[in-house]
Amino acid sequence: MPHINLTDNTPFFTIGVPTFNRIELLKQTIQSILEQTYTDFEIIIANDYTEDILTNETLDLYDKRIRIFNNKENLGEIGNMNFLLSLSKGKYFTWQFDDDFYSLNFFEEVYTAIT
């Protein structure tokens, strides 16, 4: 049951992804989100590794639902997580760490359970 929000700019889910110097795992994590059967979400990535700048090009991921932020200074895990939470536009928010993956229909099942 794919779903695309066409009524406004508020996604149903925001997935906040804190990251620190694990680009290959991060790519796999983001890909597992982009492959979801439920599609009304945004992904916000906060890079706490100040030595390298992340972009759509460095991740080789191009999707309008992805927003990337590179912290000017290391915020630490909790600071980075709180930063992501402050950027959320979705009705519901969750964190997904840069080395974890979702099953294909995870958000569809969550959406069904809460609506």
Side-chain angles (χ1 to χ4, degrees), residues 12 41 44 53 57 78 82 87 90 100 110-111:
F12 195 79
F41 58 79
I44 48 177
I53 301 297
E57 291 77 21
I78 299 300
N82 284 332
L87 299 171
D100 294 326
V110 172
Y111 176 81

Side-chain angles (χ1 to χ4, degrees), residues 81-100:
M81 291 171 72
N82 284 332
F83 175 66
L84 284 165
L85 184 58
S86 75
L87 299 171
S88 175
K89 294 180 182 177
K91 182 174 181 177
Y92 293 93
F93 180 88
T94 188
W95 284 284
Q96 182 69 354
F97 293 93
D98 61 2
D99 61 347
D100 294 326

